[in-house]
Amino acid sequence: MPNYGSGWNWSGGGSSTTPSTTGTAARSGYTAGWFALEMDNQAVPVGFVTQMDGGSFRSDIIENPIGSGPFVAKYGGKPKYDDITIGIGMPSTARLFKWVQSAVANTPERHTGALVGFDNFAGRRERSRRIFDQALISEIAFPALDASSNSAANITLKISPETLRYEVGTSTFAAQQARDEDIKQKRWSTANFGFKLDGIWGSGTQRNIRVEGFTIKQSILTHDAGNRLESYKGAGRIEYPNLTVTFGEENFATWYAWWQESVVAGNITRRSGAISWYAPDLKTELMRLNLDGVGILNLEVDRYEAGKEQIARGKVTLFVEAMTLVPGDGNV
């Protein structure tokens, strides 16, 4: 979520008329710093973007030697569109949550949408619109969770579109929606979370544990179909990441017993667990990620230094066979 600051004018300021797309105003430079994500041809944003990369328009060069002459004719081949990577707040709207949820569950949904850019001038006029079609989510990166960080929680999405086009903007910034989204996003923090793992770690919020950031990846398969200009994209196999969890060393014996059983003795024990995001009251569950088929891979002890005052910690690496995103009070 963009940091609007105390001086942000939610009313937009300036003129609210539709900006001209011709003449000097359309050609003048501007600072782009405000972006919104729209879905399914609905003008109400499902989230406001903190960073954006990719979405370039490309083609491969095709060379055609002509006769016996010394020159080679060149032209662009089939159009290609780069994936778009966006940083965005946690999925606090139902439509965005459902899209992310389907990707996590390996039942991916295709969506049309737009990434809308606004200038930094008074009025926050829409300047550009990158419209994507038949897009799949190929990556979802979740932030690290640590009770001592208290950072705003955001996810990073990589969107893989079949087609992409650019249009000049014709509207103004959705100030009221931005204000509503800002209020909702303030409920999400990387410090307010819960982690549980059956038989190993209890539920509830955690003050002595850290979960490193992790990324779920969906492979995208590209097919050239008939005389279609753009390539068709389909979802391939999903890759669930390993989880890295840091904990107080006073709990090391519990994890070590599991490692001895599963790795040394070869009696592989898979467990179920969950990661929950909580509101500031530490009771209201905003969203939950269920973990299934969890097993232990590595177990480490943090480096010791004599005379240095620090909490002794251990670190465990877990594999996860399946993940499921469950809605809560934060996905409405």
Side-chain angles (χ1 to χ4, degrees):
M1 186 64 201
N3 181 11
Y4 298 110
S6 58
W8 171 249
N9 179 7
W10 290 109
S11 63
S15 171
S16 61
T17 57
T18 301
S20 170
T21 59
T22 60
T24 304
R27 295 194 300 269
S28 61
Y30 64 95
T31 302
W34 310 95
F35 302 93
L37 172 63
E38 297 177 357
M39 288 177 58
D40 305 324
N41 300 316
Q42 297 188 30
V44 178
V46 296
F48 289 85
V49 176
T50 59
Q51 60 181 2
M52 180 169 63
D53 189 27
S56 299
F57 305 85
R58 301 186 185 277
S59 65
D60 294 330
I61 190 169
I62 296 178
E63 299 182 349
N64 183 20
I66 300 176
S68 59
F71 302 107
V72 176
K74 299 178 181 180
Y75 54 93
K78 295 179 64 173
K80 296 181 178 180
Y81 310 99
D82 287 350
D83 289 355
I84 308 170
T85 302
I86 62 172
I88 194 168
M90 300 299 282
S92 59
T93 59
R95 282 186 294 141
L96 179 58
F97 172 81
K98 190 171 182 293
W99 194 16
V100 174
Q101 181 188 42
S102 68
V104 173
N106 199 22
T107 56
E109 296 180 355
R110 300 174 182 273
H111 284 276
T112 295
L115 286 158
V116 187
F118 302 86
D119 62 31
N120 272 330
F121 302 142
R124 302 292 190 259
R125 294 188 302 171
E126 181 186 326
R127 290 298 192 131
S128 66
R129 180 174 286 266
R130 271 185 267 188
I131 302 170
F132 56 83
D133 188 50
Q134 296 298 302
L136 295 164
I137 294 176
S138 59
E139 288 188 13
I140 309 164
F142 290 89
L145 300 173
D146 188 341
S148 65
S149 69
N150 202 28
S151 301
N154 295 282
I155 59 172
T156 301
L157 300 178
K158 182 176 284 189
I159 301 170
S160 185
E162 284 189 359
T163 63
L164 187 67
R165 69 180 190 272
Y166 175 91
E167 290 184 1
V168 176
T170 59
S171 68
T172 54
F173 192 72
Q176 182 60 49
Q177 286 83 4
R179 180 169 58 185
D180 294 343
E181 180 69 11
D182 189 33
I183 293 171
K184 289 190 292 184
Q185 285 299 322
K186 284 180 178 178
R187 302 178 71 198
W188 299 82
S189 169
T190 57
N192 304 329
F193 72 99
F195 175 80
K196 66 178 181 179
L197 193 60
D198 291 346
I200 300 293
W201 203 271
S203 60
T205 55
Q206 309 298 323
R207 294 298 168 191
N208 58 346
I209 193 170
R210 172 184 170 88
V211 180
E212 300 293 339
F214 56 93
T215 302
I216 300 172
K217 297 182 179 181
Q218 172 79 68
S219 62
I220 302 297
L221 307 177
T222 302
H223 306 278
D224 294 323
N227 59 355
R228 176 173 167 162
L229 182 61
E230 285 89 5
S231 299
Y232 172 84
K233 291 185 177 181
R237 180 170 294 178
I238 195 166
E239 178 185 335
Y240 295 112
N242 296 334
L243 296 181
T244 300
V245 179
T246 303
F247 55 90
E249 195 183 332
E250 67 273 12
N251 302 111
F252 196 91
T254 302
W255 294 99
Y256 181 69
W258 185 23
W259 188 84
Q260 283 279 0
E261 177 188 3
S262 289
V263 179
V264 178
N267 301 319
I268 301 173
T269 304
R270 292 175 174 83
R271 302 178 185 272
S272 297
I275 298 171
S276 296
W277 287 262
Y278 288 104
D281 63 8
L282 301 180
K283 297 178 181 179
T284 305
E285 189 177 60
L286 301 176
M287 187 174 73
R288 183 173 74 254
L289 183 67
N290 286 339
L291 312 172
D292 293 304
V294 182
I296 188 168
L297 289 175
N298 306 322
L299 192 57
E300 306 172 46
V301 178
D302 268 5
R303 175 183 175 182
Y304 291 130
E305 292 184 30
K308 185 175 181 180
E309 294 185 4
Q310 63 180 20
I311 297 175
R313 297 190 179 277
K315 183 184 295 185
V316 64
T317 303
L318 307 169
F319 66 77
V320 183
E321 293 180 337
M323 296 179 172
T324 308
L325 205 58
V326 179
D329 192 68
N331 313 117
V332 295

